[in-house]
Amino acid sequence: MFSLSRESEQDLAHDILEVVERYLEARDTVKPRLTGLISAQEVMDELDIKYMTLQKWEKAGLKRYQPPLEDTRKIYYRISDLMKFLGVEHGNLRG
């Protein structure tokens, strides 16, 4: 187990809040989707995150959806799953 300095802890908390704020702003501008799915690329663009971050989120429990075809590499996420994963319900942060 490791310990963060107070400054590192504050920087991390600030970065997390920034990601959540960007997500909330992006969520308000996301067009309605019939399937409720968003591509991995769209998630990365909207939340300004890298693919490695999505992989970490998957290891932490975020479910991915992928067509069952061998040639298909496109990955999708349910918008509702992303909102739950980020702790956002009905537009509010969970306390």
Side-chain angles (χ1 to χ4, degrees):
M1 187 167 171
F2 66 95
S3 175
L4 294 175
S5 70
R6 180 106 174 116
E7 184 178 324
S8 294
E9 206 173 293
Q10 288 175 341
D11 287 346
L12 181 60
H14 180 265
D15 290 346
I16 290 170
L17 285 174
E18 271 188 17
V19 168
V20 171
E21 282 177 22
R22 282 194 300 267
Y23 172 77
L24 290 173
E25 289 170 4
R27 190 192 68 144
D28 291 340
T29 62
V30 173
K31 62 184 180 258
R33 297 169 189 270
L34 183 62
T35 62
L37 297 174
I38 185 171
S39 72
Q41 186 61 55
E42 289 172 308
V43 172
M44 291 184 291
D45 292 344
E46 288 187 19
L47 298 180
D48 192 25
I49 60 173
K50 304 282 185 212
Y51 185 68
M52 292 288 290
T53 301
L54 276 178
Q55 288 179 322
K56 288 177 187 177
W57 290 4
E58 286 179 20
K59 286 180 184 176
L62 180 62
K63 185 171 178 177
R64 79 164 33 192
Y65 296 87
Q66 192 169 6
L69 305 172
E70 289 182 27
D71 295 2
T72 307
R73 289 195 276 159
K74 193 128 183 176
I75 298 167
Y76 298 93
Y77 300 93
R78 290 179 88 182
I79 295 172
S80 59
D81 289 350
L82 279 165
M83 289 175 29
K84 287 177 189 171
F85 182 80
L86 292 173
V88 180
E89 290 186 25
H90 307 294
N92 298 316
L93 287 175
R94 282 191 297 216

